[in-house]
Amino acid sequence: MEKYGLIGYPLGHSFSIGYHNQRFADEGINAKYVNFEIPTIEELNEVLSQNPELKGLNVTIPYKEKVMEYLDYISPEARAIGAVNVIRVVHDGKKILLRGYNSDVIGFTQSIEPMLERYHKKALVLGTGGASKAVAYGLKSLGIESVFVSRYERPGTIQYESITPDVVHEYQVIVNCTPLGMFPKIDTCPTLPYEALDEHNILYDLIYNPDETLFMKKGAEHGAAVKNGLEMLLLQAFASWEFWQGKE
């Protein structure tokens, strides 16, 4: 039986384990997906040696960057973003080769692309973490220039208090890559001039629990198109499977 899994720490509720095991059952695939909760990235070697049937891994916080030094190959997208969240494990005789990819870009671009109109040229990316970098990379591939928004002053970013009504008219696509509004703190949202939004704006939230975040609700009240991160998550999971099967 083939084995796939997730490495990270801590691993609470994981979407991946439920999705992949359900898929294996539905499609009659002789495989199982397990969680490997490892306190340090150094334990990756132990996971590999103790699970010779392992064919692929997903990588989550806090190892998306640290895992890169263990890989034999890194895709151009993952290298540009500086984060890997999918690993294909290749058994070459007694050698194990690890190939790293990033499915965030695929999941996000495929999910937001149908919402985009010709006039969408600029985006605000809220947050500066790994997901933000993947989102900015994806937007660039769709011909949209983006600027990061942070609470702090740092190069190449603007601060929330600098976002005026004029800014949201110019930067009509707004992507929330922060945890603001995620369950259980559903009464929080990024600080924006929501009253200035209109039907030309898109508010995309990477959060999928709850279904409609306060960020989305406030956008929709002013006519903006809104979407949560569930479809992106499903597309990422599908992309992981493609990478594991060598269809990169």
Side-chain angles (χ1 to χ4, degrees), residues 63-79:
Y63 301 134
K64 289 185 182 187
E65 291 167 4
K66 292 176 188 167
V67 80
M68 293 172 79
E69 60 195 74
Y70 288 79
L71 307 178
D72 300 287
Y73 166 84
I74 298 169
S75 74
E77 293 91 348
R79 197 175 286 287

Side-chain angles (χ1 to χ4, degrees), residues 65-166:
E65 291 167 4
K66 292 176 188 167
V67 80
M68 293 172 79
E69 60 195 74
Y70 288 79
L71 307 178
D72 300 287
Y73 166 84
I74 298 169
S75 74
E77 293 91 348
R79 197 175 286 287
I81 293 156
V84 161
N85 68 344
V86 183
I87 297 172
R88 182 175 169 220
V89 183
V90 182
H91 297 269
D92 183 13
K94 286 188 177 175
K95 262 174 50 181
I96 295 175
L97 300 174
L98 303 178
R99 298 174 65 85
Y101 306 92
N102 190 299
S103 64
D104 287 339
V105 180
I106 299 167
F108 173 70
T109 50
Q110 288 181 353
S111 181
I112 199 170
E113 192 170 18
M115 303 177 76
L116 299 172
E117 302 290 349
R118 242 180 274 171
Y119 53 77
H120 290 127
K121 299 291 184 197
K122 293 183 176 182
L124 296 175
V125 177
L126 312 182
T128 55
S132 318
K133 295 185 187 96
V135 162
Y137 186 94
L139 288 167
K140 190 179 177 186
S141 76
L142 295 169
I144 295 174
E145 76 174 74
S146 56
V147 63
F148 293 109
V149 182
S150 171
R151 284 174 298 168
Y152 314 105
E153 214 168 309
R154 50 177 92 180
T157 68
I158 62 171
Q159 290 171 283
Y160 284 95
E161 53 262 40
S162 305
I163 301 175
T164 61
D166 285 344

Side-chain angles (χ1 to χ4, degrees), residues 29-245:
I29 297 167
N30 187 26
K32 68 174 176 179
Y33 190 102
V34 294
N35 283 349
F36 298 105
E37 192 170 49
I38 55 174
T40 67
I41 190 61
E42 287 76 24
E43 290 180 48
L44 172 61
N45 290 327
E46 200 178 322
V47 168
L48 294 166
S49 63
Q50 289 182 359
N51 298 275
E53 65 279 48
L54 201 58
K55 291 285 192 287
L57 289 166
N58 287 123
V59 185
T60 189
I61 294 165
Y63 301 134
K64 289 185 182 187
E65 291 167 4
K66 292 176 188 167
V67 80
M68 293 172 79
E69 60 195 74
Y70 288 79
L71 307 178
D72 300 287
Y73 166 84
I74 298 169
S75 74
E77 293 91 348
R79 197 175 286 287
I81 293 156
V84 161
N85 68 344
V86 183
I87 297 172
R88 182 175 169 220
V89 183
V90 182
H91 297 269
D92 183 13
K94 286 188 177 175
K95 262 174 50 181
I96 295 175
L97 300 174
L98 303 178
R99 298 174 65 85
Y101 306 92
N102 190 299
S103 64
D104 287 339
V105 180
I106 299 167
F108 173 70
T109 50
Q110 288 181 353
S111 181
I112 199 170
E113 192 170 18
M115 303 177 76
L116 299 172
E117 302 290 349
R118 242 180 274 171
Y119 53 77
H120 290 127
K121 299 291 184 197
K122 293 183 176 182
L124 296 175
V125 177
L126 312 182
T128 55
S132 318
K133 295 185 187 96
V135 162
Y137 186 94
L139 288 167
K140 190 179 177 186
S141 76
L142 295 169
I144 295 174
E145 76 174 74
S146 56
V147 63
F148 293 109
V149 182
S150 171
R151 284 174 298 168
Y152 314 105
E153 214 168 309
R154 50 177 92 180
T157 68
I158 62 171
Q159 290 171 283
Y160 284 95
E161 53 262 40
S162 305
I163 301 175
T164 61
D166 285 344
V167 172
V168 297
H169 292 150
E170 185 183 351
Y171 293 82
Q172 294 173 324
V173 179
I174 305 174
V175 186
N176 179 33
C177 304
T178 78
L180 286 171
M182 188 189 290
F183 181 84
K185 298 180 180 176
I186 60 171
D187 55 350
T188 59
C189 66
T191 306
L192 297 169
Y194 291 97
E195 67 288 347
L197 300 173
D198 59 29
E199 70 279 6
H200 297 101
N201 289 100
I202 292 173
L203 268 61
Y204 190 106
D205 203 329
L206 264 55
I207 293 169
Y208 57 92
N209 182 15
D211 288 342
E212 186 184 44
T213 58
L214 189 55
F215 168 75
M216 291 167 63
K217 200 175 285 182
K218 287 186 165 196
E221 279 169 8
H222 292 92
V226 299
K227 194 170 196 173
N228 72 16
L230 184 60
E231 185 187 49
M232 174 179 168
L233 206 62
L234 292 166
L235 289 163
Q236 279 178 278
F238 184 76
S240 293
W241 179 249
E242 297 282 290
F243 286 135
W244 294 333
Q245 300 306 302

